[in-house]
């Protein structure tokens, strides 16, 4: 990607010193989406997930005028059906004052380019059904909703109960 001019937004990989900015963006995103409950992640959690001894995700920062304006946080997936890796976009956020200028499209385009370069078969993400502006934006990019899957989750007591009832050892992850 050619270097950005001062007026042109820059998208760069997140660095360890960006953990506080990323955390602030995560909180802003949760507030903007009216996410029920409190964001319990802390900057140190974000730093550990991205830059710790066993990173589980990556992030890119979008800068406008030399200041952070948005981010995308993502992690690898694998499809047994396609037989190839994929990328799951966990969070995409552009600050309100930078929306409408193509920054969100550039962030998604950056991830699409990474997916192609990495031989991925998919770039996927979840979006709240109530987030009409995001749904319209994604549809303009020709993203499609999936009718064939239902997102399922075990957490809290249900997660602990199943874990306690299962005779298996080992931690989360490899």
């Amino acid at each position: 990607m050619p270097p950005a001019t001062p007026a042109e937004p820059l998208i760069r990989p997140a660095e360890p010193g960006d953990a506080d900015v990323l955390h602030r963006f995560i909180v802003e995103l949760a507030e903007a989406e009216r996410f029920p409950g409190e964001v319990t992640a802390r900057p140190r959690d974000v730093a550990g997930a991205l830059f710790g001894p066993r990173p589980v995700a990556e992030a890119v920062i979008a800068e406008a005028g030399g200041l952070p304006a948005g981010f995308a946080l993502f992690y690898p997936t694998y499809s047994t059906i396609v037989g190839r890796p994929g990328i799951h976009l966990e969070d995409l956020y552009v600050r309100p004052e930078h929306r409408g200028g193509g920054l969100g499209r550039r962030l998604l385009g950056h991830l699409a380019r990474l997916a192609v370069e990495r031989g991925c078969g998919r770039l996927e993400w979840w979006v709240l059904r109530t987030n009409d502006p995001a749904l319209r934006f994604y549809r303009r990019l020709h993203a499609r909703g999936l009718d064939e899957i239902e997102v399922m989750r075990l957490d809290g007591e249900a997660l602990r109960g199943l874990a306690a009832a299962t005779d298996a050892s080992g931690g989360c992850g490899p």
Side-chain angles (χ1 to χ4, degrees):
M1 181 197 293
T5 62
E8 186 178 339
L10 168 74
I11 296 176
R12 63 170 179 80
E15 301 169 352
D18 293 320
D20 286 332
V21 168
L22 290 166
H23 181 263
R24 185 172 67 240
F25 282 163
I26 291 165
V27 170
E28 289 176 18
L29 174 60
E31 290 170 354
E33 291 182 336
R34 293 183 178 96
F35 186 80
E38 177 188 355
V39 174
T40 58
R42 300 291 174 239
R44 70 177 175 274
D45 300 320
V46 174
L50 299 176
F51 310 109
R54 291 178 51 182
V56 295
E58 299 175 62
V60 292
I61 303 269
E63 293 182 347
L67 298 173
F71 83 111
L73 191 142
F74 56 98
Y75 54 86
T77 63
Y78 180 75
S79 168
T80 57
I81 301 300
V82 177
R84 294 170 53 196
I87 290 177
H88 179 85
L89 171 62
E90 179 66 20
D91 286 328
L92 175 73
Y93 176 71
V94 174
R95 291 192 120 164
E97 63 269 25
H98 296 286
R99 293 181 189 156
L103 199 51
R105 182 182 180 90
R106 286 184 62 146
L107 280 163
L108 271 176
H110 181 85
L111 294 186
R113 193 169 34 259
L114 282 178
V116 169
E117 289 170 0
R118 294 177 183 185
C120 295
R122 298 175 173 162
L123 169 60
E124 296 179 309
W125 60 93
W126 301 341
V127 59
L128 293 173
R129 289 184 180 104
T130 57
N131 192 341
D132 289 325
L135 289 167
R136 285 191 303 273
F137 168 64
Y138 297 140
R139 287 183 183 125
R140 283 194 309 269
L141 297 176
H142 303 286
R144 64 181 180 87
L146 300 176
D147 294 328
E148 63 269 21
I149 65 168
E150 182 86 25
V151 176
M152 305 299 291
R153 176 179 293 161
L154 277 175
D155 60 3
E157 191 53 43
L159 176 64
R160 288 186 291 278
L162 181 59
T166 305
D167 187 31
S169 61
C172 182

